[in-house]
Amino acid sequence: MKTLKIFAVALAATVLISSCGDSGQSNNKKSNSGALNNSSAAEAVYVAPGEHDEFYEFFSGGFSGQVSVVGLPSGRLFRRIPVFSVDAEKGYGFDEESKAMLQTSHGFVPWDDSHHPKLSQTNGEIDGRWLFINGNNTPRLARIDLTTFETAEILEIPNSAGNHSSPYLTMNTEYLVAGTRFSVPIPQKDVSINTYKENFHGALSFISVDPEHGDMDIAFQIVMPGFDYDLASSGKGPSHGWTFFTTYNTEKGNTMKEATASQNDKDFIAAINWKKAEEYVAAGKFEEWDCSYAHNKVDEKTHIASTEMRNKVKVLKAADCPGMIYFLPTPKSPHGVDVNTTGEYIIGCGKLNADLTVHSFEKMLAAIAAEDYETIVDGIPVLKYESVVDGVVKSGGLGPLHTEFDGRGNAYTSFFISSEVVKWKLGTYEVLDRVPCYYSIGHLSIPGGGSMKPWGKYLVAMNKITKDRYLPTGPELAHSAQLFDISGDKMKLLLDFPTDGEPHYAQGCPAELIKPNSKKFFKLSENEHPYAIMSEEDARVERDGNQVHVYMSCIRSHFAPDNIEGIKVGDQVYFHVTNLEQDWDTPHGFAMMGANTSELLIMPGVTKTLYWEPKEEGVIPFYCTDFCSALHQEMQGYARVSAKGSSTELKWWLGED
Amino acid sequence: MKLRIPAFIIVLLSAFVLFSCGGETDEATDDQIEESFEVYTPKAEIGPEGIGPIKEAMILGPIDNALAIQGDTIFTNLCTSCHKMEKRHVGPALNGVLERHSPAWIMNMILNPEQMVKEDPVAKELFAEYLSPMANQNLTEDEARAVLEYFRKFAEENPTK
């Protein structure tokens, strides 16, 4: 019976997919594929062979820990950038050069949960230089260089526990923020969990960004009451200098939060005046606390990552710093907080509510000036709700999560529970349009979203539930994104496409901001890796005790040397392989049979190192793994392994000379 | 090579979507598809200069020793993985190369190898013989000129029969 039903559904779905626009219009039941007209939707997302997409869109990978690079409107995946998780395909976290990127105060952590990609901004506009993203589980922030599309830097955040409200950078990328989702004892100590109310606090960190090189540094941390800090948004224009964080669990519950954290009618949006915080830091109002955190960075000349452990951080306490923090009451466990493009409105999405709450920045300043306080919580003034709220959007939807803007005075809010996007007007708060999502939308993204200049042509819905949208792949399914055309009055569904991991956010920009700067290869003459060789003439093998260093080169299609003898069981062998190619799209791979690590994937002009401990005597092959030319299958060699203590001479060669 | 596979799949999928629709829109979309492919048209006759940034025959003066020394270094670092002077390696032996090709052709082969092996009849034959593509090592025109001078100097010092 059940099989029959499934078959019927599958049949209906097939008819639906293979039918064309006109038949879809004639039968409303079939139009629940969402697209108005299949052939015109197909045309709108069709990027002809050899043509390029109009936008780059960077999706977080969620529990994959990575970032994926997708083109819009096609939805095509171009690259998965490894960030917080090892990636054997690229040798990330496996080769000797990149291992340090995943070092933390807890040692090597090979995975994280990446959440919110944010592109760097200048004057409130996306500048296409860097992409920042937070790691939620072991609190970290990463910087991706958009000339190489590689992770260049990872900074651990101390005193945090779940780096969720992050990076939400300021309009000139002065700061990235990092608010903790979990409050914890700061510094950590062994206490009963039931002492939550007295011992637990939340840290909000402000991370400065070097304007020239992008280097991250923790400028200061603010110790806050023991709430959960969920999401954030930095001010712009008139509200530049402020960052807003949503909170929930203002009840300070420590168990069964599903119920205990939902008692209060209103939680808070915490408004942080970071310019004021800078003044307090300059005036020496901070305490320096001991802690431990890793700062990992790739050297641009050697391409080697190194870790610097740090042990101090500047901490500001609310009680010592009047005028730095205010609370805006916001119903009901707000998730998203989003400052609109002009910086005038602060939109709170109470996720257990039906309505959206819109605060006015101007009214907030007036309420602060008039000391219009409802109460004081842990030394922090709570502004009167009626004094700061500008309007409420009565949408009829359920479970609002996140809002973005089109730059034309319209806002778009995702509703998880009612599974839809609602378009509404700023200032009048009237609902203009709504479209269903398949299924259960989390966040949404308009290219340029979060900045002062969005490109309001497309909207991407990142849906949490996939079910029957694609051919099934067993119990686990790819998460599903949906692309909408928002250029007209009504939103139109254009495309479904699968995504990698679980995107919690995506941010994009016109391809022209990034494409011209994309690097094609690394100049060999600028390679300062200590084991690099500049030509095949320098290829050699050196022994130092039981360490063997192979200075190897590769080019289409051979390794030099490709025959090596004199390696002994128990040696520690390092293959330092330099790719001598100087052209675009000419990587080589290097794999060693039995090595307890991944392959190397070596970009042109770069040196990468594979570590191998031969355990048995024999002759072991190695080969190139990335198809490189008609003679790729010939790109291979042998390493002879002799017994420990044997007298086999160390020698190497390539060809017969 | 690997980049071409997804494009191929997209063409297939797109073709499927478009061709599976009935009605008038078909013809218009067919035309669009055809327009989007580059139609191969044989180029005008290619001369002894080959094809690339060097458009005209080069007139070479006396050998510049300093330039030849620069060329030796560039050749050693970027070319010797595949080329030996006196014997066939991955690519052809290069002593005497100036007896086989014009200076401009050699420069174009260094600077524009992808198009040369596709369109220049002599380079095409060489590619068919050696199979490994001539790598574009992204030399500047000045660097390629220095390598050419090194070939001249080498030939002077090591004359072929």
Side-chain angles (χ1 to χ4, degrees):
Chain A
M1 217 21 216
K2 201 170 178 190
T3 320
L4 266 179
K5 268 188 195 165
I6 291 168
F7 180 67
V9 169
L11 198 71
T14 312
V15 169
L16 209 161
I17 289 161
S18 58
S19 69
C20 289
D22 51 354
S23 63
Q25 281 171 343
S26 68
N27 187 336
N28 282 338
K29 274 184 189 168
K30 284 181 185 173
S31 71
N32 76 353
S33 70
L36 283 184
N37 175 304
N38 285 350
S39 61
S40 63
E43 245 173 67
V45 300
Y46 179 70
V47 178
E51 300 284 310
H52 289 174
D53 279 281
E54 187 180 354
F55 293 95
Y56 279 107
E57 182 85 354
F58 299 90
F59 286 79
S60 76
F63 46 70
S64 86
Q66 320 294 47
V67 163
S68 39
V69 186
V70 168
L72 295 182
S74 73
R76 296 181 294 186
L77 172 71
F78 302 138
R79 176 168 162 76
R80 194 169 68 150
I81 305 172
V83 185
F84 295 115
S85 298
V86 296
D87 183 349
E89 176 198 303
K90 301 173 185 75
Y92 183 81
F94 292 94
D95 61 48
E96 297 304 302
E97 285 74 13
S98 64
K99 279 178 179 170
M101 286 306 275
L102 301 176
Q103 277 300 327
T104 72
S105 61
H106 311 273
F108 182 82
V109 177
W111 168 90
D112 213 303
D113 179 15
S114 64
H115 269 251
H116 312 120
K118 282 281 170 183
L119 292 156
S120 55
Q121 293 181 20
T122 304
N123 296 323
E125 295 182 16
I126 290 187
D127 59 24
R129 301 173 75 194
W130 302 301
L131 181 76
F132 298 94
I133 187 162
N134 57 321
N136 188 56
N137 180 56
T138 303
R140 287 178 274 181
L141 269 170
R143 176 170 58 89
I144 294 161
D145 181 336
L146 291 178
T147 64
T148 60
F149 290 70
E150 289 176 357
T151 305
E153 188 183 5
I154 292 182
L155 177 68
E156 190 180 359
I157 311 295
N159 298 329
S160 179
N163 182 28
H164 196 266
S165 35
S166 182
Y168 300 104
L169 46 85
T170 57
M171 62 178 275
N172 287 300
T173 321
E174 295 98 335
Y175 293 105
L176 317 172
V177 302
T180 188
R181 176 173 154 206
F182 306 101
S183 280
V184 286
I186 307 175
Q188 276 288 6
K189 57 183 172 183
D190 175 18
V191 293
S192 166
I193 302 165
N194 281 327
T195 65
Y196 187 103
K197 286 188 173 66
E198 67 225 60
N199 279 324
F200 286 48
H201 290 92
L204 306 180
S205 308
F206 284 74
I207 293 94
S208 63
V209 177
D210 179 86
E212 199 181 334
H213 299 288
D215 290 22
M216 301 182 285
D217 192 16
I218 300 176
F220 54 88
Q221 293 190 314
I222 300 172
V223 174
M224 297 286 287
F227 308 155
D228 288 26
Y229 295 86
D230 203 1
L231 289 171
S233 182
S234 285
K236 45 196 75 108
S239 52
H240 182 51
W242 292 77
T243 298
F244 305 89
F245 293 84
T246 44
T247 71
Y248 62 104
N249 192 29
T250 52
E251 299 85 349
K252 297 188 183 173
N254 55 285
T255 182
M256 192 55 196
K257 285 199 185 183
E258 194 173 9
T260 56
S262 310
Q263 302 298 310
N264 292 347
D265 276 348
K266 295 188 182 74
D267 294 280
F268 303 127
I269 288 174
I272 311 289
N273 184 340
W274 55 259
K275 285 201 171 159
K276 198 85 181 168
E278 282 178 336
E279 287 170 21
Y280 282 123
V281 171
K285 286 267 183 179
F286 61 87
E287 292 176 12
E288 207 159 45
W289 287 14
D290 292 329
C291 54
S292 176
Y293 61 103
H295 182 215
N296 309 321
K297 209 187 146 199
V298 178
D299 184 294
E300 286 174 18
K301 291 177 176 150
T302 61
H303 302 282
I304 299 172
S306 60
T307 299
E308 183 200 347
M309 291 308 298
R310 295 183 177 179
N311 52 22
K312 294 275 185 213
V313 70
K314 291 177 179 138
V315 173
L316 295 172
K317 290 175 169 171
D320 304 338
C321 305
M324 184 172 72
I325 312 166
Y326 298 91
F327 285 144
L328 284 60
T330 306
K332 179 107 220 200
S333 299
H335 186 62
V337 54
D338 297 285
V339 178
N340 78 314
T341 54
T342 63
E344 295 169 83
Y345 300 107
I346 306 146
I347 292 103
C349 288
K351 67 176 184 277
L352 307 178
N353 198 14
D355 304 335
L356 303 176
T357 308
V358 183
H359 298 299
S360 152
F361 180 72
E362 203 182 313
K363 287 184 180 174
M364 184 193 91
L365 290 186
I368 291 169
E371 299 192 359
D372 207 357
Y373 304 154
E374 210 164 88
T375 180
I376 308 261
V377 171
D378 292 2
I380 298 167
V382 179
L383 302 173
K384 272 194 187 135
Y385 174 77
E386 293 74 18
S387 307
V388 292
V389 76
D390 193 72
V392 170
V393 182
K394 300 267 179 199
S395 71
L398 276 176
L401 288 187
H402 174 221
T403 304
E404 293 219 327
F405 312 93
D406 63 8
R408 299 184 294 267
N410 305 309
Y412 302 77
T413 301
S414 60
F415 284 76
F416 174 75
I417 299 171
S418 54
S419 187
E420 60 185 332
V421 176
V422 172
K423 176 183 178 181
W424 52 277
K425 194 153 190 64
L426 284 157
T428 68
Y429 309 115
E430 61 187 308
V431 171
L432 303 173
D433 189 25
R434 64 201 315 141
V435 285
C437 296
Y438 301 90
Y439 303 96
S440 302
I441 179 176
H443 281 236
L444 49 75
S445 164
I446 293 168
S451 76
M452 294 182 83
K453 191 187 158 194
W455 289 269
K457 186 171 179 184
Y458 299 115
L459 180 149
V460 180
M462 282 154 270
N463 302 320
K464 298 295 185 190
I465 310 291
T466 305
K467 301 282 192 197
D468 58 356
R469 295 301 282 186
Y470 307 115
L471 286 174
T473 54
E476 194 186 1
L477 306 165
H479 281 236
S480 177
Q482 292 188 296
L483 183 75
F484 294 89
D485 176 348
I486 57 163
S487 59
D489 289 341
K490 296 289 173 192
M491 296 177 274
K492 292 177 201 161
L493 175 61
L494 300 176
L495 181 71
D496 275 21
F497 59 98
T499 52
D500 182 55
E502 182 191 3
H504 293 281
Y505 184 60
Q507 197 173 45
C509 70
E512 289 311 315
L513 286 177
I514 294 175
K515 183 170 136 180
N517 307 322
S518 181
K519 212 177 203 31
K520 295 189 165 159
F521 60 90
F522 297 92
K523 275 197 177 156
L524 190 61
S525 57
E526 292 170 5
N527 179 341
E528 292 182 14
H529 191 293
Y531 293 95
I533 53 174
M534 292 295 126
S535 92
E536 226 170 63
E537 279 193 339
D538 300 325
R540 64 191 185 276
V541 183
E542 289 178 359
R543 174 179 284 283
D544 177 13
N546 72 334
Q547 284 198 354
V548 176
H549 291 276
V550 181
Y551 294 74
M552 184 181 271
S553 68
C554 59
I555 195 161
R556 281 163 285 178
S557 283
H558 59 274
F559 295 104
D562 65 357
N563 283 195
I564 302 166
E565 297 192 349
I567 291 169
K568 317 277 171 69
V569 170
D571 278 347
Q572 299 177 327
V573 184
Y574 294 87
F575 289 93
H576 309 285
V577 187
T578 302
N579 183 345
L580 298 178
E581 307 273 2
Q582 290 290 275
D583 197 10
W584 197 19
D585 198 12
T586 56
H588 290 286
F590 178 79
M592 188 80 212
M593 179 180 142
N596 300 109
T597 186
S598 77
E599 63 156 358
L600 300 176
L601 188 63
I602 316 151
M603 294 305 123
V606 171
T607 306
K608 292 275 186 189
T609 302
L610 180 140
Y611 176 68
W612 178 50
E613 282 178 7
K615 296 177 187 75
E616 288 172 2
E617 292 161 42
V619 179
I620 314 298
F622 52 83
Y623 73 101
C624 173
T625 51
D626 188 338
F627 194 97
C628 55
S629 80
L631 295 162
H632 164 73
Q633 285 300 80
E634 283 71 14
M635 192 163 176
Q636 60 188 51
Y638 291 106
R640 175 182 168 190
V641 181
S642 302
K644 197 171 185 143
S646 75
S647 59
T648 313
E649 188 193 343
L650 187 68
K651 55 181 181 177
W652 60 92
W653 61 90
L654 164 74
E656 281 151 11
D657 338 281
Chain B
M1 285 292 185
K2 61 196 158 125
L3 292 176
R4 289 182 195 150
I5 293 160
F8 175 63
I9 289 170
I10 285 162
V11 175
L12 256 185
L13 285 176
S14 312
F16 173 76
V17 169
L18 292 165
F19 294 147
S20 64
C21 282
E24 290 166 32
T25 52
D26 270 9
E27 283 161 35
T29 42
D30 283 355
D31 289 346
Q32 280 168 9
I33 285 183
E34 267 175 33
E35 275 170 30
S36 70
F37 288 104
E38 255 181 60
V39 180
Y40 180 77
T41 45
K43 301 280 183 296
E45 200 176 306
I46 294 161
E49 288 76 36
I51 181 163
I54 312 300
K55 308 285 181 209
E56 286 170 18
M58 295 168 68
I59 297 152
L60 305 176
I63 292 173
D64 177 340
N65 285 325
L67 189 63
I69 290 165
Q70 282 176 37
D72 187 358
T73 307
I74 296 164
F75 181 77
T76 303
N77 286 346
L78 295 173
C79 312
T80 50
S81 293
C82 299
H83 290 285
K84 308 290 176 203
M85 292 307 289
E86 297 285 18
K87 61 179 274 199
R88 174 182 173 144
H89 193 45
V90 177
L94 290 177
N95 195 15
V97 67
L98 280 143
E99 294 161 26
R100 304 195 293 271
H101 308 288
S102 76
W105 189 97
I106 294 167
M107 293 278 287
N108 283 330
M109 193 64 187
I110 295 171
L111 295 169
N112 186 34
E114 299 93 341
Q115 199 183 4
M116 283 287 280
V117 300
K118 263 189 229 154
E119 295 177 21
D120 179 87
V122 179
K124 268 165 83 172
E125 264 177 45
L126 285 167
F127 184 38
E129 183 184 346
Y130 287 85
L131 291 174
S132 227
M134 165 85 176
N136 186 341
Q137 291 291 74
N138 276 291
L139 273 64
T140 63
E141 214 168 294
D142 288 346
E143 287 170 332
R145 180 66 188 83
V147 170
L148 180 70
E149 205 65 1
Y150 167 67
F151 292 160
R152 295 176 73 202
K153 180 80 184 162
F154 190 95
E156 187 185 72
E157 291 171 355
N158 305 275
T160 50
K161 281 167 215 167

